[in-house]
Amino acid sequence: MTSVDVDALTAELARLREENAALTRERDEARRERDELHKAILGMPAAVGVMLGPDHVFTIVNDAWRALNPALDPIGKPLIDVLPAPLGGRVAAMLDRVFATGEPLISANVPFTWPGAEETSFITFHYSALRRDDGEIFGMVFHGLDVTAQMRSQREVQSLNGRLRTFLALAENAPDSIVVTERGQITYANPAFRRMYGYGAEVVGTPLLDLVDAEGRALLDARRKEGASPGAARAVVTCRRHDGSTFPGEVSTFPIRDDGGQIDAEGAIVRDLTEQRRVEQDRQRLQEDLIAAQQRAIRELSTPLIPLAARLVVMPLVGTIDSVRSEQILETLLRGITAHQAAVAILDTTGVRSMDEQVASSLLRTAGAARLLGTEVILTGISPEVARALVEIGTDLSGVTTRGTLEAGVAYALGRRSGSKGRS
């Protein structure tokens, strides 16, 4: 071998060594990049992994994926055996399409209920095909983001919006006035409030207490301090409309608290009592009229005047006679004597329970008034007990004709009438 051949071989060897070193560096760089990528995948907060082959066998999964179900090791298992039924079959069918066509797939808000788990989780997955240099699909990489917290927050917001819509519908259609205030100024007023007070949109920003008279403001302030809940109060006050007119209103205030329990607003319900007051007054007048009518009827029933014959009337007395009723007896008897032109009037006391000096004096006064009208009064039905009581109190009945029973009194009166006719 010539010296030229040795030099050429030495140069070629050096070149090969340089190429080998470059390839080694490339390999090491590729390994480093792979390791960094692998490390990055494993450390990502989202669930990331790789599935290979048409059966979608799990080859790589990161810690975030394992955290979804720490008891499950998916490595080396096909997807259909990892995910719970029937979800596994449905997801496998979708991934078959990705494996066949290479089109990426987004599966949003997939519900997962792992065996033994108490709550359902929600995950949004992104699937992308893995291709060789010749374009052949040999697997896919997936990226899963746990959106459980977002889903729950979204549902809470939806529930809150639903409650707010319900409240707004109730408030907008309520017959009573409903307002919300912040720092004492109105921020919301329902249509009933605006109609009741005669305001339009300009009511927003108006201090609520400006719509109540001074006495009402002081009363509400005192009720707030007395109440068990700060800001809660109820009082009947005089409310002032936009045009200056007033009306009686029942104002109920209550605190509105934020999530931390702090009061950040106040609500109030106002009810116009004008119609209620009118109804109560009408009811009171009706009740008073009814009571008066009942009293008149009772008086008429308890003190009847009965015409027995021409110019002969009888008044049976029943129950207890007091000063009011004695006046009624006198009034009824005198009116009846005049109406019937009675010459004889019989007062029957058979039904009187007891008789004191006042009652006896009243009866004597009634008899005296009747005599002034030319009518003789006959007192009948005096029981032994009543007679003893009259003697004990020293009642003088010498000017009054008495008979033991009503029948005897009627017979006496009819005899008197017959005698008068004979003499005439």
Side-chain angles (χ1 to χ4, degrees), residues 369-415:
R371 283 197 300 271
L372 293 176
L373 295 177
T375 302
E376 180 182 2
V377 175
I378 303 174
L379 194 61
T380 66
I382 298 178
S383 66
E385 293 80 8
V386 172
R388 187 183 309 111
L390 292 177
V391 170
E392 290 176 354
I393 62 178
T395 303
D396 183 11
L397 298 178
S398 59
V400 180
T401 303
T402 61
R403 289 292 182 271
T405 64
L406 175 61
E407 292 81 2
V410 172
Y412 172 81
L414 292 177

Side-chain angles (χ1 to χ4, degrees), residues 171-181 186-200 202-204 206-212 239-242 247 251 268-271:
E172 290 289 298
N173 295 280
D176 292 332
S177 295
I178 299 176
V179 290
V180 176
T181 64
I186 296 174
T187 57
Y188 167 79
N190 71 339
F193 184 93
R194 295 194 292 269
R195 289 193 300 269
M196 186 179 295
Y197 282 87
Y199 278 90
E202 73 276 7
V203 73
V204 174
T206 301
L208 177 62
L209 291 182
D210 283 0
L211 306 182
V212 179
C239 301
R240 183 179 296 105
R241 297 187 182 92
H242 191 32
F247 65 92
V251 179
I269 300 174
V270 183
R271 177 169 296 176

Side-chain angles (χ1 to χ4, degrees), residues 33 132 214 386:
E33 292 178 353
R132 294 190 173 90
V386 172

Side-chain angles (χ1 to χ4, degrees), residues 294-306:
Q294 289 174 341
Q295 290 176 342
R296 288 194 299 271
I298 290 173
R299 285 195 299 269
E300 292 172 359
L301 291 174
S302 62
T303 314
L305 186 72
I306 303 170

